[in-house]
Amino acid sequence: MREIILLNVTGKDHAGLTASLTGVLADHRINILDLGQAVIHDHLSLGMLLEIPPAAQSGPVIKDLLFQAHQLGLQINFTPIDEEAYEHWVSQQGKLRYIVTLLGRKLNARTIAHVAQVVSSHGMNIDGITRLSGRFSLRSANTHRRACVEFTVRGEADNLGALRQDLLEISSRDEVDVAFQADDLYRRNRRLIVFDMDSTLIQVEVIDELAKAAGVGDAVAAITESAMQGEIDFNESFRRRMALLKGLDESVLAGIAERLPITEGAERLISNLKRLGYQVGILSGGFSYFARHLQKKLGVDFISANELDIRDGKLTGQVKGEIVNGARKAELMQQMAHDLGISLEQVIAVGDGANDLPMLSLAGLGVAFHAKPVVRKNARHAISTLGLDGILYLLGVRDREVN
């Protein structure tokens, strides 16, 4: 009769441990049904699920393993597993799995406890926890340090909407970001990322910078804020702001373009995604003059934005052609995906304003980045604590894997 035994090994890690233990198992012709290993601060935790064939006996196997573990300075435990329980466990494979990503400047036990409690309260189980961020020194005062862990979760929640809402509450309460997404093929095979420009790729609204140069900063900023909150139709707010810029000399554009502050993590994110074969686009309700500047600086592949109308060296207060609003952004994103021969599930969209919601909702991964409350509430994913390179964590990328 076959036996199934769960083997747990702990102790100080050093080279050759796994080889020594599995060598003992090989001598007894033992089958390994499952295994997992983790090392935290040079301390090993190794688990193996063993099948002892009918022709073998567990007694000699356990005896030899105990001797080997003693020689290696390890602690070892054995737990017999009922075959029916094992078969039930096997039958659960193929069930829906999800990824919960917890990220911020630092993580504490309270936040991890909150995530674990929410997952459990919705009838789901954490199968594994992986650290994606690199280690950081406690003696360093780096204000841009990153901390991220990823939970692999199994089960079927009765109400995924309620689960997402509970995780969103953790984000607002604990000053961290929590993302929840299906662990499927698309997550590992995205191919296009599109960004809003103003207050996303750059830390300002260009139209506000133009307004300051024209001496109408406060008036334009008030309209901008109202539009970003979704209180005014984008097209109407855009026309109002543009009208206030009439007569501005085009000579100011170059200086503003050179001074645009790039958002933290933008260059790191784009350079690494390009290395992975991604196409990168800018879809902006701002202006193509500045989008082209960023295209050259960051290596962006596509841009679509509003074209300023300039006559006799002065802004006319209008733009050429159709205004790039929320609906147009979504339409352009779909066209980009079609041209690349990929599905929308393989697209990442990133934005901060209400006019970004249409494309965020259509993309396989829509990220509200340092967004207004109305946008965070309606987007499936949000990053408010880290820079743009925090998106790499949502793709399961470890710090050690990128530049």
Side-chain angles (χ1 to χ4, degrees):
M1 179 179 179
R2 77 165 60 86
E3 295 178 75
I4 302 173
I5 295 176
L6 177 61
L7 171 70
N8 290 109
V9 182
T10 59
K12 188 170 178 59
D13 184 44
H14 56 82
L17 296 184
T18 304
S20 297
L21 294 172
T22 53
V24 171
L25 298 175
D27 291 341
H28 289 275
R29 301 181 182 277
I30 302 302
N31 299 320
I32 298 178
L33 301 174
D34 197 11
L35 76 164
Q37 178 175 308
V39 176
I40 298 178
H41 198 62
D42 296 328
H43 194 86
L44 170 78
S45 178
L46 169 65
M48 289 188 280
L49 193 60
L50 310 177
E51 179 195 10
I52 314 295
Q57 293 183 336
S58 60
V61 179
I62 292 174
K63 177 182 175 182
D64 288 351
L65 283 171
L66 284 169
F67 177 77
Q68 189 66 57
H70 177 73
Q71 293 291 102
L72 296 169
L74 300 173
Q75 294 76 51
I76 193 166
N77 290 302
F78 304 91
T79 305
I81 302 296
D82 179 74
E83 187 168 336
E84 287 301 317
Y86 170 77
E87 290 298 327
H88 175 72
W89 178 68
V90 169
S91 71
Q92 299 304 302
Q93 64 187 348
K95 299 290 186 181
L96 290 174
R97 289 178 182 270
Y98 299 92
I99 296 293
V100 178
T101 310
L102 178 60
L103 57 163
R105 296 298 179 186
K106 61 180 180 179
L107 303 178
N108 56 45
R110 179 187 64 186
T111 302
I112 292 174
H114 288 163
V115 171
Q117 288 163 3
V118 167
V119 168
S120 177
S121 70
H122 285 272
M124 306 179 81
N125 187 62
I126 297 172
D127 276 350
I129 305 176
T130 304
R131 175 175 53 83
L132 300 183
S133 54
R135 302 183 183 100
F136 53 78
S137 170
L138 295 177
R139 298 173 179 175
S140 170
N142 180 10
T143 57
H144 288 163
R145 73 184 187 186
R146 301 175 298 269
C148 177
V149 291
E150 176 183 276
F151 301 80
T152 304
V153 176
R154 172 174 43 86
E156 296 185 25
D158 293 335
N159 188 329
L160 284 178
L163 172 59
R164 290 180 186 276
Q165 183 59 40
D166 289 346
L167 292 173
L168 182 62
E169 289 180 9
I170 294 175
S171 296
S172 61
R173 185 172 64 239
D174 291 2
E175 296 183 352
V176 296
D177 295 313
V178 185
F180 177 83
Q181 57 185 312
D183 185 17
D184 57 21
L185 182 65
Y186 290 117
R187 177 174 179 259
R188 299 181 293 277
N189 287 280
R190 307 204 196 276
R191 288 293 175 265
L192 169 66
I193 184 167
V194 296
F195 296 94
D196 173 46
M197 182 172 66
D198 298 57
S199 297
T200 300
L201 269 182
I202 55 176
Q203 298 176 56
V204 295
E205 293 286 326
V206 170
I207 198 167
D208 290 346
E209 299 304 301
L210 293 172
K212 292 174 187 175
V216 290
D218 290 343
V220 167
I223 301 172
T224 299
E225 180 62 22
S226 191
M228 296 300 287
Q229 296 287 357
E231 298 169 354
I232 305 176
D233 170 75
F234 179 82
N235 283 17
E236 176 59 26
S237 68
F238 186 77
R239 292 190 187 97
R240 287 190 203 174
R241 289 176 289 174
M242 284 303 303
L244 292 172
L245 300 179
K246 183 177 180 180
L248 179 64
D249 197 291
E250 72 170 317
S251 63
V252 305
L253 303 183
I256 291 174
E258 288 297 328
R259 296 192 302 272
L260 291 177
I262 305 298
T263 298
E264 176 196 346
E267 292 166 295
R268 182 171 182 261
L269 171 64
I270 291 174
S271 65
N272 280 290
L273 291 185
K274 294 283 286 183
R275 190 163 58 91
L276 293 173
Y278 275 70
Q279 294 288 297
V280 180
I282 293 176
L283 297 178
S284 175
F287 306 109
S288 56
Y289 181 95
F290 303 96
R292 283 192 290 269
H293 177 81
L294 291 174
Q295 182 177 28
K296 294 177 183 177
K297 187 179 182 69
L298 299 175
V300 172
D301 298 294
F302 316 104
I303 64 165
S304 287
N306 295 298
E307 189 73 34
L308 287 167
D309 184 42
I310 302 173
R311 296 177 191 174
D312 300 323
K314 304 287 186 181
L315 273 63
T316 67
Q318 298 179 345
V319 294
K320 298 176 182 178
E322 183 179 353
I323 294 175
V324 180
N325 56 20
R328 182 61 177 155
K329 285 185 181 184
E331 181 184 326
L332 289 166
M333 182 185 73
Q334 292 177 83
Q335 186 61 51
M336 285 181 180
H338 179 270
D339 291 345
L340 292 171
I342 62 174
S343 74
L344 287 173
E345 285 290 341
Q346 293 176 276
V347 179
I348 305 169
V350 190
D352 72 300
N355 66 320
D356 295 312
L357 282 172
M359 72 175 185
L360 298 185
S361 65
L362 285 175
L365 179 64
V367 181
F369 180 74
H370 288 255
K372 308 301 182 289
V374 67
V375 182
R376 287 201 305 271
K377 181 179 179 180
N378 287 281
R380 284 172 293 169
H381 308 284
I383 291 180
S384 299
T385 60
L386 298 184
L388 278 169
D389 52 348
I391 291 171
L392 291 168
Y393 294 138
L394 302 188
L395 305 178
V397 177
R398 295 174 173 85
D399 277 352
R400 60 179 170 82
E401 296 172 325
V402 296
N403 298 325

